[in-house]
Amino acid sequence: MNKDIATPVRTRAILEKYGFSFKKSLGQNFLIDTNILRKIVDFADIGENTGAIEIGPGIGALTEQLARSSKKVVAFEIDQRLLPILSETLSPYPNVKIIHKDVLEANVREVMDEEFANLEDIMVVANLPYYVTTPIIMKLLEEQLPIRGIVVMLQKEVADRIAANPGTKDYGSLSIAVQYYTNAETVMIVPKTVFVPQPNVDSAVIRLTKREKPAVIVKDEVFFFQVTRAGFAQRRKTLLNNLTSQLPDGKQKKEEILAALAASGIDPSRRGETLSLEEFGRLSDELYPYFR
Ligand code: SAM
């Protein structure tokens, strides 16, 4: 087997050979611990018939582990300076394809159709660039891509918000947006010491398993998310206050909002952070006729 990329010695040698300098603005914190990488691949349950999509391969530390376990890896990398490095470090793995693109601009569905034509099991696995974790996760979920799930390293604080339960300080519109599409669990807390350079914050690995259908079935998805965002607009305000101040013409429609709260069995003096997804679903369906 080839030598692992993700050791302090090999990583340093690769970076020195190419005179590579980290760009903080691109969230470049590379992993130098092979055990952590293997665990990430295990959490994603990657098998020989799995297609893996990676975001930000860096110098190929995780890509290599994915290449060894999966059928094929397609990795999106924004930083052109990494391309010659990757073509050397990943040369032993013919089942890797690097796409030089900002993943937020990429047509991921089209890439999947082209690259994974005969594969049914597809996972997104990444050590995400921390400056764009939420937009990347939301893009992958909102586009309803045919993936089994997402296993990613990200800031622990964001992992806590994603996996939070109602009634906790971390629960908010991000928890709802992600849990609407997936079952979310934090599977590992990761110390700063396994990265070069070390990030300023603690990290965690989160596993998002796509639900067969959304957690709640609502009349209008866009309106449902509008209601959840409104519900959390000012956390110390009551639900009634937030809904009247945030929904279009909410102040004039206070009576209708009260009627919808009553019909969904939700006390207007509750705070948004106490409502389950199911309660937000009921409430948005009752509100919908007044705002459509
Ligand atoms: N996978 C490598 C590892 O674990 O060592 C590197 C992870 S590093 C945290 C994030 C990587 O994402 C960097 O290689 C960075 O250049 C790349 N990146 C940053 N923004 C990106 C974007 N919008 N699209 C694709 N790649 C991006």
Side-chain angles (χ1 to χ4, degrees), residues 96-245:
V96 173
K97 167 136 188 190
I98 304 291
I99 298 182
H100 176 216
K101 236 190 179 127
D102 176 345
V103 71
L104 293 175
E105 312 261 298
N107 186 339
V108 181
R109 184 181 293 272
E110 200 175 272
V111 170
M112 286 176 71
D113 287 346
E114 278 164 21
E115 303 294 337
F116 297 131
N118 300 316
L119 291 181
E120 287 187 358
D121 184 45
I122 298 168
M123 282 296 283
V124 176
V125 187
N127 169 19
L128 289 177
Y130 288 2
Y131 75 105
V132 274
T133 44
T134 310
I136 291 176
I137 291 174
M138 291 319 300
K139 172 186 164 106
L140 297 170
L141 295 178
E142 283 168 355
E143 289 185 358
Q144 312 255 23
L145 301 170
I147 54 175
R148 169 160 52 88
I150 302 176
V151 171
V152 282
M153 175 93 75
L154 71 182
Q155 309 92 311
K156 180 175 176 299
E157 171 259 328
V158 179
D160 289 345
R161 287 198 282 131
I162 286 177
N165 289 320
T168 63
K169 72 169 177 26
D170 291 323
Y171 183 67
S173 48
L174 180 63
S175 329
I176 294 191
V178 175
Q179 292 174 29
Y180 177 77
Y181 298 106
T182 71
N183 180 21
E185 13 164 25
T186 298
V187 289
M188 181 164 58
I189 308 293
V190 181
K192 295 174 189 170
T193 48
V194 300
F195 301 89
V196 279
Q198 293 189 15
N200 297 324
V201 295
D202 289 329
S203 300
V205 175
I206 195 161
R207 175 166 55 201
L208 307 176
T209 308
K210 273 263 294 286
R211 298 178 189 277
E212 270 183 29
K213 40 186 190 11
V216 278
I217 305 298
V218 290
K219 288 181 183 152
D220 187 285
E221 241 176 47
V222 174
F223 184 66
F224 167 74
F225 287 119
Q226 197 181 345
V227 170
T228 62
R229 279 195 303 274
F232 289 105
Q234 288 195 280
R235 295 184 76 100
R236 275 175 304 175
K237 281 194 177 179
T238 63
L239 198 53
L240 178 62
N241 260 325
N242 271 332
L243 293 175
T244 50
S245 66

Side-chain angles (χ1 to χ4, degrees), residues 25-32 37 54-63 76-79 82 101-104 126-132 136 195:
S25 62
L26 290 180
Q28 292 179 336
N29 301 96
F30 296 170
L31 277 163
I32 48 165
L37 289 164
E54 189 190 359
I55 293 137
I59 59 169
L62 174 59
T63 327
F76 293 92
E77 175 55 64
I78 198 171
D79 188 350
L82 289 165
K101 236 190 179 127
D102 176 345
V103 71
L104 293 175
N127 169 19
L128 289 177
Y130 288 2
Y131 75 105
V132 274
I136 291 176
F195 301 89

